[in-house]
């Protein structure tokens, strides 16, 4: 679905004069319906790579900042993955300065971010530190197309319901920190072809990262090889799959709320929790265990790890212990269940 890039002057009656386009209108109306995503008067930290998606977000946010009274900041992370990375960073900084937009940046040691997972962890560490200092909401430019790619990747890897709806509009930046920095994804109402049109309509520069075409990254192969084939067979399938992920997220939220209510009733009793695990079906046990571990701040288990652990927690299984990621341990007897955090060094 594509809107014509028509720009018309719009003052809004509040002195905030911008060239108003259908893209501005769509995002503005969405934020009026979901004001918690980018609250009025809030400091907003935009994660901007320089690619078309993040530049589209920056262009729209720049124009809407006065209307929503945002204190806008840009953060750029330089992974150092290619020879032009520093030049792109410098050029983005110069452009932001011309737009009177505050830009902050961090540069990684390439050896520390040699995988997608490590790079993402580094970015989120930097964003969390910066956002806490600014008391800001973090906004990323994930689109509906990104959500479709994530859905396909998670299905291929093997996941549970949570993994199928992982790109939500808003969540804590860190899963274990419900009261910490919030992460918002206001661009999920757009698809990748929309952001290209936004950049053209608003005359926004973009910086192409050559690693986005590298087949060594699984997401790039989904984007460049798998999705085009699926779209040729079923045109528009990426939008439908993104909508499916959104519907699944609503189901997961309902499920999570019910589980939280149940766990709250027994939160002070490991014995009651153990009894609940023993007397529940394997499917219910997975849901309870997944949520309980997350609430305690332990690392998320993948689908296979969760299944194996929950089978060992059945009614007729012996006492045991299991090592989780990052030094966490879980142990159980016939009558108790215990989760231990890593010991301080």
């Amino acid at each position: 679905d594509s809107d014509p890039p028509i720009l018309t002057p719009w003052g809004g009656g509040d002195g905030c004069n911008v060239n108003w386009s259908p893209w501005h209108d769509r995002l503005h109306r969405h934020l009026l319906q979901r004001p918690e995503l980018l609250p009025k008067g809030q400091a907003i930290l935009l994660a901007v790579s320089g690619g078309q998606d993040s530049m589209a977000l920056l262009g729209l946010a720049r124009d809407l900042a006065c209307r929503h009274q945002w204190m806008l900041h840009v953060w750029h992370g330089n992974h150092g993955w290619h020879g032009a990375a520093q030049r792109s960073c410098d050029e983005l900084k110069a452009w932001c300065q011309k737009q009177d937009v505050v830009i902050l940046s961090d540069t990684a040691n390439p050896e520390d971010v040699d995988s997608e997972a490590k790079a993402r962890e580094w970015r989120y560490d930097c964003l969390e530190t910066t956002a806490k200092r600014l008391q800001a909401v973090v906004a990323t430019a994930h689109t509906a197309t990104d959500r479709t790619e994530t859905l396909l990747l998670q299905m291929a890897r093997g996941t549970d319901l949570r993994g199928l709806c992982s790109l939500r509009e808003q969540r804590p930046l860190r899963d274990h920190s419900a009261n910490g920095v919030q992460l918002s994804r206001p661009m999920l109402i757009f698809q990748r072809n929309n952001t290209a049109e936004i950049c053209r309509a608003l005359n926004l520069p973009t910086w192409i990262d050559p690693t986005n075409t590298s087949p060594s990254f699984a997401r790039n192969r989904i984007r460049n090889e798998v999705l085009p084939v699926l779209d040729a067979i079923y045109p528009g399938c990426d939008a439908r799959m993104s909508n499916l992920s959104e519907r699944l997220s609503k189901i997961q939220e309902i499920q999570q709320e019910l589980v939280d209510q149940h766990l709250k009733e027994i939160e002070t009793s490991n014995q009651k929790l153990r009894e609940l695990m023993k007397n529940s079906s394997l499917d219910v046990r997975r849901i309870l265990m997944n949520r309980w571990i997350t609430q305690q701040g332990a690392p998320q288990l993948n689908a296979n790890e969760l299944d194996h652990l929950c089978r060992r927690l059945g009614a007729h299984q012996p006492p045991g212990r299991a090592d989780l990621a990052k030094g966490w341990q879980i142990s159980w007897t016939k009558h108790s269940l215990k989760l231990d955090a890593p010991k301080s060094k």
Side-chain angles (χ1 to χ4, degrees):
D1 60 354
S2 172
D3 290 314
I6 299 172
L7 301 178
T8 55
W10 185 83
D14 53 12
C16 299
N17 295 302
V18 300
N19 285 325
W20 199 249
S21 75
W23 311 116
H24 294 92
D25 192 67
R26 185 189 295 187
L27 181 58
H28 175 64
R29 290 177 185 274
H30 182 63
L31 293 176
L32 291 180
Q33 294 175 345
R34 295 290 308 276
E36 70 278 7
L37 289 178
L38 300 177
K40 187 174 182 178
Q42 176 71 49
I44 308 295
L45 182 62
L46 304 179
V48 175
S49 67
Q52 70 178 50
D53 294 345
S54 63
M55 290 304 296
L57 170 61
L58 173 53
L60 294 176
R62 171 201 61 187
D63 295 344
L64 294 177
C66 177
R67 181 70 180 85
H68 291 264
Q69 298 175 21
W70 294 324
M71 294 163 281
L72 209 61
H73 300 78
V74 166
W75 178 84
H76 175 75
N78 180 3
H79 299 106
W81 279 349
H82 58 89
Q86 187 58 53
R87 185 180 66 198
S88 298
C89 179
D90 293 339
E91 291 176 357
L92 174 61
K93 285 182 177 180
W95 186 85
C96 286
Q97 288 166 0
K98 288 181 181 179
Q99 306 298 311
D100 292 324
V101 175
V102 177
I103 181 169
L104 309 164
S105 67
D106 288 288
T107 301
N109 181 342
E111 295 180 358
D112 295 334
V113 291
D114 58 359
S115 69
E116 291 177 280
K118 290 180 181 179
R120 179 181 181 277
E121 189 70 17
W122 173 76
R123 289 196 302 272
Y124 277 35
D125 282 342
C126 295
L127 284 167
E128 183 176 38
T129 299
T130 306
K132 283 182 176 180
R133 177 164 56 85
L134 298 173
Q135 296 184 310
V137 170
V138 171
T140 63
H142 291 99
T143 66
T145 309
D146 290 303
R147 184 152 60 183
T148 299
E149 294 168 357
T150 301
L151 176 67
L152 290 172
L153 281 167
Q154 296 285 52
M155 289 173 61
R157 290 168 178 157
T159 187
D160 56 11
L161 179 60
R162 178 187 175 89
L164 296 178
C165 48
S166 56
L167 280 186
R168 302 185 179 194
E169 276 200 303
Q170 189 173 51
R171 68 166 180 80
L173 183 67
R174 297 296 191 188
D175 288 340
H176 61 268
S177 180
N179 297 318
V181 175
Q182 291 297 301
L183 169 66
S184 293
R185 299 182 174 111
M187 297 293 281
L188 286 174
I189 59 173
F190 299 115
Q191 293 174 279
R192 186 164 294 123
N193 64 324
N194 296 148
T195 62
E197 294 175 24
I198 291 169
C199 288
R200 287 195 296 270
L202 303 187
N203 195 30
L204 299 169
T206 58
W207 288 267
I208 298 175
D209 185 343
T211 61
N212 287 341
T213 59
S214 171
S216 61
F217 294 102
R219 181 176 292 273
N220 290 344
R221 298 198 66 183
I222 293 290
R223 177 180 303 167
N224 300 320
E225 300 175 29
V226 177
L227 270 179
V229 173
L230 289 176
D231 194 61
I233 300 172
Y234 300 108
C237 67
D238 56 337
R240 292 190 292 274
M241 287 189 284
S242 176
N243 290 336
L244 171 62
S245 181
E246 175 66 18
R247 292 195 298 273
L248 289 173
S249 73
K250 301 303 180 186
I251 294 173
Q252 208 265 339
E253 286 172 6
I254 294 170
Q255 180 190 89
Q256 182 172 297
E257 183 176 340
L258 293 173
V259 170
D260 285 353
Q261 290 175 359
H262 207 56
L263 289 175
K264 188 175 182 180
E265 296 173 2
I266 59 173
E267 61 184 350
T268 60
S269 174
N270 285 337
Q271 184 174 353
K272 288 183 179 180
L273 180 59
R274 182 68 182 109
E275 287 299 314
L276 180 60
M277 290 289 181
K278 287 194 299 184
N279 296 324
S280 300
S281 68
L282 179 60
D283 289 334
V284 172
R285 214 178 301 150
R286 288 193 194 100
I287 295 170
L288 290 167
M289 176 58 66
N290 188 53
R291 185 58 182 162
W292 181 64
I293 285 177
T294 301
Q295 287 181 342
Q296 305 307 306
Q300 193 75 30
L301 300 178
N302 64 38
N304 289 334
E305 292 169 338
L306 185 62
D307 183 77
H308 180 67
L309 176 59
C310 288
R311 288 182 186 278
R312 296 180 65 190
L313 288 168
H316 304 294
Q317 297 299 313
R321 176 186 298 272
D323 293 326
L324 308 182
K326 298 183 179 180
W328 286 78
Q329 283 190 332
I330 186 170
S331 58
W332 61 95
T333 66
K334 184 178 179 180
H335 300 294
S336 67
L337 182 64
K338 186 180 179 184
L339 184 65
D340 293 315
K343 295 180 180 179
S344 301
K345 295 182 178 179

